Amino acid sequence: DTAVSQTPKYLVTQMGNDKSIKCEQNLGHDTMYWYKQDSKKFLKIMFSYNNKELIINETVPNRFSPKSPDKAHLNLHINSLELGDSAVYFCASSQDGGSSYNEQFFGPGTRLTVL
Amino acid sequence: KNEVEQSPQNLTAQEGEFITINCSYSVGISALHWLQQHPGGGIVSLFMLSSGKKKHGRLIATINIQEKHSSLHITASHPRDSAVYICAVSADMYSGGGADGLTFGKGTHLIIQP
């Protein structure tokens, strides 16, 4: 009965490959997010998405694309992986991101290592 | 763009001590969040507040909107409190924040020694 789940937990891949990380929330929330935590443990927003709009952090390369098949899922696709993409990626959700006053629930994280 | 500053970056204390972690931010917000990240990596939301003070067990969070400052206090600290504590802010929706996620501080690495 995990609230926000991510798969896989660990992902090791070669430079240049294309990979996806899946995220699912069973909280009935309207808004989902992807965050990146770098090697210095600093967290940064990548995307936020609800039924109405996708907001992209302008620093995110267009090799990264979120895909939402339904309200409960927000998957992260990464094309042409680079060494600098190695990080821990966290998915999160909140009831209504539009109000900006909602607790966020985080997934367990996916540690991506690009060789 | 909001800048979130936390202090101290690292804190080592003895079991039982009273702990204070500070957070300041640069522009108006709709809410401030305190998060905890354990060595295993998972992130847990401790508090979300937009004014005043909240208490949960041995944890207390306060915020002063005028001064753009928040503090997280831990009373009677215990080794199991050892973790990284992260301050994060939600943008002010009236400034066009909308659903744009959190802006994070760099975290405070807390170690409580027995």
Side-chain angles (χ1 to χ4, degrees):
Chain A
D1 59 347
T2 304
V4 183
S5 59
Q6 291 179 232
T7 54
K9 189 169 174 63
Y10 300 96
L11 181 54
V12 180
T13 188
Q14 298 289 326
M15 212 165 44
N17 284 350
D18 302 337
K19 290 293 178 185
S20 295
I21 305 172
K22 295 185 177 180
C23 177
E24 176 181 3
Q25 53 95 4
N26 62 8
L27 298 166
H29 285 169
D30 291 325
T31 304
M32 297 181 73
Y33 310 84
W34 277 105
Y35 294 98
K36 179 181 180 180
Q37 187 172 43
D38 62 24
S39 57
K40 295 183 180 178
K41 304 290 188 182
F42 184 56
L43 280 155
K44 198 168 184 180
I45 181 72
M46 300 178 71
F47 306 100
S48 66
Y49 180 78
N50 61 21
N51 289 333
K52 301 170 189 173
E53 62 180 332
L54 170 68
I55 299 178
I56 303 170
N57 184 321
E58 66 275 8
T59 66
V60 175
N62 57 15
R63 298 180 295 102
F64 289 78
S65 58
K67 297 281 194 301
S68 181
D70 55 57
K71 185 176 150 179
H73 296 83
L74 184 67
N75 303 324
L76 182 64
H77 296 268
I78 315 169
N79 295 325
S80 303
L81 278 155
E82 300 178 357
L83 293 176
D85 298 332
S86 296
V88 180
Y89 293 85
F90 286 94
C91 177
S93 72
S94 66
Q95 177 61 41
D96 176 11
S99 73
S100 292
Y101 187 64
N102 287 282
E103 183 179 7
Q104 294 203 9
F105 292 80
F106 287 80
T110 296
R111 182 176 294 277
L112 171 65
T113 302
V114 182
L115 303 175
Chain B
K1 181 185 169 185
N2 221 333
E3 302 289 337
V4 180
E5 299 287 338
Q6 275 185 248
S7 62
Q9 278 190 293
N10 297 284
L11 178 57
T12 299
Q14 296 297 313
E15 184 173 356
E17 286 189 40
F18 181 80
I19 304 298
T20 296
I21 300 170
N22 295 301
C23 176
S24 60
Y25 52 93
S26 55
V27 299
I29 62 170
S30 62
L32 184 140
H33 305 246
W34 280 103
L35 310 170
Q36 181 191 56
Q37 185 171 29
H38 271 284
I43 298 173
V44 175
S45 176
L46 297 174
F47 295 102
M48 182 182 64
L49 63 166
S50 60
S51 64
K53 176 179 174 179
K54 285 190 176 180
K55 185 174 188 291
H56 184 249
R58 294 181 295 106
L59 301 178
I60 303 165
T62 63
I63 188 168
N64 183 319
I65 297 295
Q66 287 72 32
E67 295 185 2
K68 296 186 175 61
H69 181 269
S70 174
S71 294
L72 176 69
H73 305 286
I74 306 174
T75 62
S77 59
H78 190 276
R80 65 174 175 266
D81 297 325
S82 299
V84 177
Y85 292 84
I86 304 168
C87 173
V89 299
S90 303
D92 180 348
M93 62 182 291
Y94 297 106
S95 300
D100 59 355
L102 301 176
T103 300
F104 299 86
K106 292 187 176 180
T108 295
H109 188 193
L110 174 66
I111 298 173
I112 303 296
Q113 295 178 333

